[in-house]
Amino acid sequence: MLEAKAISKAFRGLRAVREASFAVPQGAIVGLIGPNGAGKTTIFNMIAGVFAPDTGSIFFQDKPIHGLRADQVCSAGIGRTFQLVKPFAGLSVLDNVVVGGFLRTRSTVAAKKISEQILEKLGLGAKRHLPAASLTLPDRKRLEVARALATRPRLLLLDEVMAGLNPTECDQLVAVLREINRAEGLTILLIEHVMRAVMALAGRIVVLHHGEVIAHGTPEQVVRDPAVLECYLGEETEV
């Protein structure tokens, strides 16, 4: 579904990503992991159209998307969340999601119906009329996912949606994402430091270090890779 071919990005001479290549099969859940500053969010930004790669190419469903604007990438079927969740504080939880729903329909009734279904899946149905500003961090994380899902993506980019959640909250969100992937065939590419979530969700993992892909494979293969243990997980890591 998604293929990045030798993409690179530099900022004022600092090379954030160096000729990174990887693929995300349709219907898969792929984890993108690595130390802070490895270039993970830069890759998300290149995929999502925040900025174009300096070199290399990105294909979504066999069509080039490198150089497209963020709204064009979203319309093509790629939704994303952000590390720092910033809902429209003055709107209700439901209306925050409806905003995303308007990408696919001009009908307020239709957008609300879709949004309510998504909120129910994410356990926010009972809070749909509350102001978004009143939500706890775990609920704001779920709202961020709901807003992205409302755009009806075929590929969902999740940027550290587990950060700040306790183990129970993390497991609950993992269960929701697995069910959406299973029932709807939604393809997911996620950046995550919570290895508990990565191991539970991802069928494949890509590891970045200093902007380069240093390993890829199944979770079991990656967590035993000496290069990954040295630069990221540590020799004593248990997952």
Side-chain angles (χ1 to χ4, degrees), residues 3 16 21 33 96 99 122 148 155 157 170 182 193 195 206 211 215 218 232:
E3 185 174 13
S21 298
I33 68 172
N96 263 271
V99 170
L122 288 163
L155 170 64
L157 309 178
C170 180
R182 184 198 65 79
H193 285 294
M195 288 305 296
V206 177
T218 65
Y232 183 53

Side-chain angles (χ1 to χ4, degrees), residues 34-229:
N36 288 328
K40 304 181 298 295
T41 296
T42 299
I43 285 180
F44 263 29
N45 285 336
M46 286 190 282
I47 295 170
V50 176
F51 40 66
D54 296 332
T55 58
S57 53
I58 304 171
F59 292 86
F60 177 61
Q61 296 186 313
D62 296 324
K63 296 179 181 178
I65 60 170
H66 46 280
L68 294 184
R69 300 189 312 267
D71 62 298
Q72 293 172 321
V73 173
C74 187
S75 295
I78 299 178
R80 73 167 296 182
T81 67
F82 293 85
Q83 287 184 33
L84 299 178
V85 291
K86 295 182 179 180
F88 298 111
L91 297 181
S92 68
V93 170
L94 176 60
D95 285 343
N96 263 271
V97 184
V98 167
V99 170
F102 282 136
L103 178 68
R104 304 297 176 191
T105 179
R106 295 185 179 183
S107 166
T108 301
V109 173
K112 282 190 173 181
K113 182 179 180 180
I114 292 169
S115 299
E116 287 176 341
Q117 292 171 349
I118 292 169
L119 287 172
E120 287 294 336
K121 289 178 185 177
L122 288 163
L124 289 174
K127 299 179 180 180
R128 63 187 182 277
H129 297 306
L130 294 178
S134 70
L135 295 182
T136 61
L137 175 61
D139 284 345
R140 290 201 303 272
K141 292 280 188 176
R142 293 188 186 94
L143 177 57
E144 183 77 357
V145 175
R147 295 202 300 171
L149 288 173
T151 66
R152 309 310 294 271
R154 291 188 287 276
L155 170 64
L156 180 61
L157 309 178
L158 298 176
D159 197 346
E160 296 192 30
V161 294
M162 309 292 174
L165 305 186
N166 65 39
T168 299
E169 293 162 345
C170 180
D171 290 347
Q172 290 171 344
L173 188 51
V174 163
V176 169
L177 293 172
R178 290 180 69 176
E179 176 58 22
I180 292 173
N181 169 258
R182 184 198 65 79
E184 302 178 17
L186 179 65
T187 306
I188 298 173
L189 175 63
L190 70 148
I191 294 172
E192 194 54 70
H193 285 294
V194 180
M195 288 305 296
R196 175 193 188 95
V198 175
M199 295 297 288
L201 274 172
R204 304 281 298 178
I205 295 177
V206 177
V207 187
L208 283 176
H209 185 49
H210 294 316
E212 299 179 346
V213 175
I214 63 166
H216 60 85
T218 65
E220 293 75 17
Q221 292 169 333
V222 165
V223 297
R224 289 171 173 78
D225 188 296
V228 178
L229 290 170

